[in-house]
Structure formats: C-alpha cells, structure tokens
C-alpha cells in the first residue's frame, strides 16, 4: 500500500482531529502517502481531496470539530454517487480509506466496500456512543462533560428559584448520553429511548407531598425519548400537576463542540493509529474499537447491525440515588 486517505463523516465529535492527526502521522511513519478528503462522502464524490503531511495536522489535537469538515451525504446513498466516489478513489491512486464517523458512515462504507472492493477501515467517532464493537466512541466523553457542566449551572438557578428543570440532551436513538449525564449531574429522573417512559409514573412521582418538600430537581431527557422531547413532557406534566411550573433547557449542539477531553484525545490517537496499522495488515470492511482496553476489530455489518445495550443497572442506580 502506497497511498491512503482519511475523512470524517456524519455528526462531528470532539477528538476527531486527534484521530486525523494519528492517521496522518502513523501513515507517514510507515512511509505511506496520505491524503485528506474534505467534507466526508460529498468530498469523495466531488474529488475534494488534498495532500497531507505532518505539518497539516500540527496544533489540532486540542481543537473540537474536524479540520476535514463533514457532511451527511445524500448523494452517497445512491448507487451513482458511490460509483462516482469509487472512480475518484482510483483516479487519486488511493488504496485504502480511513472513515471516521458513526453508524450512518459505516452503513455507507459497508455497501461501498461490497460494491467496489475498495479497502475501508472505520474509526468510531460520534458523541452518541451507540456503536457495537467499542466501549466508547470518540467524542462521547467530552460531550457528557460539557452537558454536566451545563447542568451544574442549571442547578444554581433551579436551586435559587426552587424549580424543576427538564434538560434535554442529544441522542436520537440512544440513551447513553442521558444515562451518564443524568447520574453525573444528580438527576432525579432519566428518560431514555431504550426504556418506555410512563408519563403517569412521572406525574405521580412529582405530585407526592414528600417530593414537593424538595426545593428543586433536574430531569434529564434524551432527545429521542419515546414520550417526546423535553418540551412535550414538561407540557404534559404541567397540565397534570397543579402548581407545577417547570423550565426546559435543550442543550443541543453545544454538546458537539469544544475542546476534546484528555480521554477523547487519547482514544482518537489510539484508534486513528490502529486503523492505519490494520489497513496495512490487509484488513478491510471493519471498524477498530477499544473493548476492555484492547484494540479490536468488528465488521461494519456487526458494528451497525448489532445494537450496543445501555447498562440498565445505571438506571437502577439513578433511581436509588435520586
Ligand atoms: O449523531 C450525533 C448527533 O449529535 C445526535 O446526537 C443528534 O441527534 C444528531 O447528531 C443531530 O444531527 P444534526 O447535527 O445533523 O442535526
């Protein structure tokens, strides 16, 4: 292998830059040329491809976002788009691709590998932590720390006004962020998509006399919760509980930005470097991950097909501690 290329795709995640840096510098260490694809799959389709050297990844390890930009490509979902991308790979003499992203990225990569025979290695980068085959994804640790920071601030105002706050965190399909943020943020209730939310139970709980003696509360809601978003839930509770006047705070994209934590820098560095080594070993159509502190490979099919389970004992812990 003489030449590889790296790109980021899907939602950006803090630590992606550390992974890009590790890909570039590991490739150069093994005397492999390395290119960067700008804008994810869209950049691959349009030939937005740049040469990279050691200096092009200098001073980025501490930066959030992704220096290579990212996209959620509609065109790559089409066979024509993928064929165009395949032609670009050949035109630029790229023999291996490192794809940094989440389940959407690997769904595309899996089809692309099968259709074109092009070699692809995945690096899990998403704040959602919802990929099978790795204990943690790049960006999750920073995102939960950002959210906890925000909740600490919300607690000050909640305490001052004796208010209940519903704080909505990211996670369309998964409650990993909500669960860990809820426990770390001292939430009284945590609502996640994996567990049916019974609004009646919530209403009963917050109607209790004993509960009313508490000055304030935080309820953490994953954006993909089955009972709706934080605004919907707050509305239903307000209508059912006399005198209940909660406030809602949607943390949104703040959770995706900011400088990566030490953990995400380390994870990005290990996984980015590991991906290059595995490509050189001839591996393809797989994702690198870290399970119990060991670098492991999981096929794209498994990484996207199997679902990583939230640790339900944490839900129990949250209710004990509430
Ligand atoms: O997958 C990461 C994520 O931040 C999800 O938690 C969230 O639901 C989604 O991306 C938002 O995507 P976008 O930035 O495209 O609106």
């Amino acid at each position: 292998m003489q030449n590889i290329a790296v790109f980021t795709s899907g939602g950006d995640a803090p630590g992606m830059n550390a992974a890009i840096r590790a890909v570039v510098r590991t490739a150069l260490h093994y005397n492999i040329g390395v290119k960067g694809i700008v804008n994810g799959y869209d950049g691959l389709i349009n030939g937005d491809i740049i040469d990279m050297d050691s200096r092009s990844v200098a001073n980025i390890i501490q930066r959030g976002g992704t220096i290579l930009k990212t996209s959620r490509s509609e065109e790559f979902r089409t066979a024509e788009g993928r064929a165009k991308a395949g032609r670009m790979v050949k035109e630029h003499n790229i023999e291996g691709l490192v794809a940094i992203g989440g389940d959407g990225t690997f769904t595309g990569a899996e089809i692309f590998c099968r259709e074109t025979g092009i070699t692809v290695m995945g690096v899990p980068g998403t704040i959602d932590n919802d990929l099978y085959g790795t204990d943690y994804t790049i960006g999750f640790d920073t995102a939960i720390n950002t959210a906890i920071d925000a909740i600490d601030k919300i607690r000050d105002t909640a305490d001052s006004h004796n208010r209940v706050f519903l704080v909505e965190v990211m996670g369309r399909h998964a409650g990993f962020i909500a669960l860990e943020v809820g426990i770390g943020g001292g939430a009284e209730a945590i609502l996640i998509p994996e567990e049916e939310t019974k609004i009646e139970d919530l209403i009963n709980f917050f109607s209790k006399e004993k509960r009313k003696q508490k000055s304030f509360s935080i309820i953490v809601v994953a954006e993909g919760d089955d009972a709706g978003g934080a605004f919907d839930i707050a509305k239903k509770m307000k209508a059912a509980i006399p005198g209940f006047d909660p406030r809602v705070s949607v943390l949104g994209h703040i959770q995706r930005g900011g400088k990566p934590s030490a953990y995400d820098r380390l994870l990005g560095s290990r996984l980015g470097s590991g991906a290059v080594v595995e490509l050189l070993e001839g591996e393809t159509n797989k994702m690198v991950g870290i399970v119990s502190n060991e670098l492991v490979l999981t096929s794209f099919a498994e990484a996207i097909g199997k679902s990583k389970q939230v640790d339900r004992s944490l839900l129990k812990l949250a209710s004990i501690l509430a």
Side-chain angles (χ1 to χ4, degrees):
M1 205 172 262
Q2 301 294 308
N3 265 307
I4 64 167
V6 56
F7 64 95
T8 47
S9 160
D12 61 330
M16 279 183 164
N17 283 330
I20 295 168
R21 174 179 178 268
V23 169
V24 170
R25 293 200 173 162
T26 304
L28 296 174
H29 172 81
Y30 290 109
N31 293 317
I32 310 289
V34 56
K35 294 173 194 285
I37 297 160
V38 182
N39 267 332
Y41 286 126
D42 280 345
L44 190 56
I45 293 167
N46 300 324
D48 202 349
I49 298 172
I50 53 173
D51 287 326
M52 299 196 83
D53 60 22
S54 193
R55 299 328 302 156
S56 46
V57 290
N59 199 26
I60 65 166
I61 197 163
Q62 78 285 12
R63 283 169 55 189
T66 157
I67 61 158
L68 288 175
K69 315 266 184 189
T70 185
S71 63
R72 298 194 192 275
S73 174
E74 283 306 319
E75 206 178 345
F76 197 75
R77 290 176 195 270
T78 67
E80 299 76 45
R82 291 191 297 273
K84 225 165 139 191
R87 287 196 292 277
M88 281 298 169
V89 168
K90 302 222 161 91
E91 235 171 70
H92 285 82
N93 297 319
I94 296 165
E95 292 157 275
L97 286 169
V98 177
I100 306 172
D103 56 353
T105 304
F106 299 155
T107 302
E110 201 271 332
I111 304 171
F112 189 59
C113 281
R114 274 193 284 115
E115 283 177 350
T116 61
I118 289 165
T119 299
V120 187
M121 185 57 57
V123 172
T126 162
I127 64 163
D128 292 344
N129 197 29
D130 57 349
L131 278 169
Y132 179 85
T134 190
D135 289 342
Y136 289 104
T137 54
I138 297 166
F140 175 72
D141 183 66
T142 308
I144 61 172
N145 278 292
T146 301
I148 281 179
D149 232 42
I151 288 181
D152 287 349
K153 293 187 169 80
I154 289 170
R155 290 177 79 88
D156 289 343
T157 177
D159 187 11
S160 305
H161 285 265
N162 293 332
R163 274 178 175 154
V164 173
F165 265 80
L166 286 94
V167 181
E168 186 176 296
V169 296
M170 275 187 163
R172 271 179 296 200
H173 311 294
F176 293 96
I177 297 178
L179 201 49
E180 300 207 11
V181 162
I183 291 181
E188 191 123 16
I190 304 172
L191 312 181
I192 59 172
E194 293 86 344
E195 191 76 17
E196 192 195 341
T197 296
K198 296 200 177 86
I199 293 279
E200 319 79 67
D201 291 354
L202 212 55
I203 290 167
N204 284 340
F205 180 73
F206 279 90
S207 305
K208 279 192 187 134
E209 279 313 307
K210 191 167 150 240
R211 164 68 203 64
K212 283 186 188 153
Q213 283 154 21
K214 280 193 86 171
S215 63
F216 74 97
S217 282
I218 304 288
I219 304 174
V220 171
V221 185
E223 62 172 328
D225 187 68
D226 55 298
F231 277 108
D232 279 355
I233 296 169
K235 212 164 133 194
K236 287 177 197 156
M237 291 175 78
K238 192 175 155 98
I241 308 171
F244 188 74
D245 189 21
R247 292 293 184 271
V248 173
S249 185
V250 177
L251 300 187
H253 288 79
I254 282 177
Q255 295 159 97
R256 287 237 295 262
K259 65 180 197 169
S261 65
Y263 183 82
D264 278 327
R265 296 179 200 197
L266 181 65
L267 187 63
S269 302
R270 286 181 76 185
L271 291 174
S273 185
V276 174
V277 171
E278 297 299 341
L279 271 183
L280 297 182
E281 293 283 329
E283 295 286 356
T284 183
N285 210 347
K286 290 182 180 151
M287 176 194 93
V288 287
I290 291 184
V291 174
S292 304
N293 210 25
E294 296 286 337
L295 197 96
V296 296
L297 287 179
T298 303
S299 67
F300 281 145
E302 268 188 299
I304 56 180
K306 290 193 174 175
S307 79
K308 179 152 115 189
Q309 299 298 312
V310 290
D311 182 350
R312 279 165 201 277
S313 71
L314 290 183
L315 273 179
K316 180 154 188 235
L317 176 66
S319 79
I320 293 171
L321 302 182

